[in-house]
Amino acid sequence: MARHQTSMQRRHFELIAATIDGLDIEQAEKQKVAKAFADRLGDTNANFQADRFYLACGASWQTGS
């Protein structure tokens, strides 16, 4: 049976980012969680912007991290 895949939208990304931002974890762990999601979310929508996602997650991000 074929799976129907829909594109995730900005509101979905915002919900995920807000959830990550609300986690009571160390910054290094928050970065790992944000990166893990960003690595996969980019495949769901061609307009996904990882830099904006990281900021919305509250994960301080350094290029190359």
Side-chain angles (χ1 to χ4, degrees):
M1 177 179 240
R3 287 178 103 185
H4 177 70
Q5 185 174 357
T6 58
S7 291
M8 292 185 68
Q9 300 170 354
R10 181 178 178 161
R11 63 187 168 106
H12 300 118
F13 301 144
E14 289 172 347
L15 174 65
I16 295 167
T19 301
I20 294 170
D21 188 30
L23 295 174
D24 185 21
I25 58 177
E26 293 183 23
Q27 189 61 228
E29 291 302 310
K30 193 174 282 194
Q31 288 175 346
K32 287 179 187 178
V33 172
K35 182 169 181 353
F37 272 94
D39 287 348
R40 299 295 301 270
L41 292 174
D43 294 337
T44 69
N45 186 311
N47 295 319
F48 178 75
Q49 296 176 1
D51 291 342
R52 289 182 65 185
F53 181 76
Y54 294 132
L55 289 174
C57 289
S60 62
W61 197 258
Q62 297 174 358
T63 304
S65 295

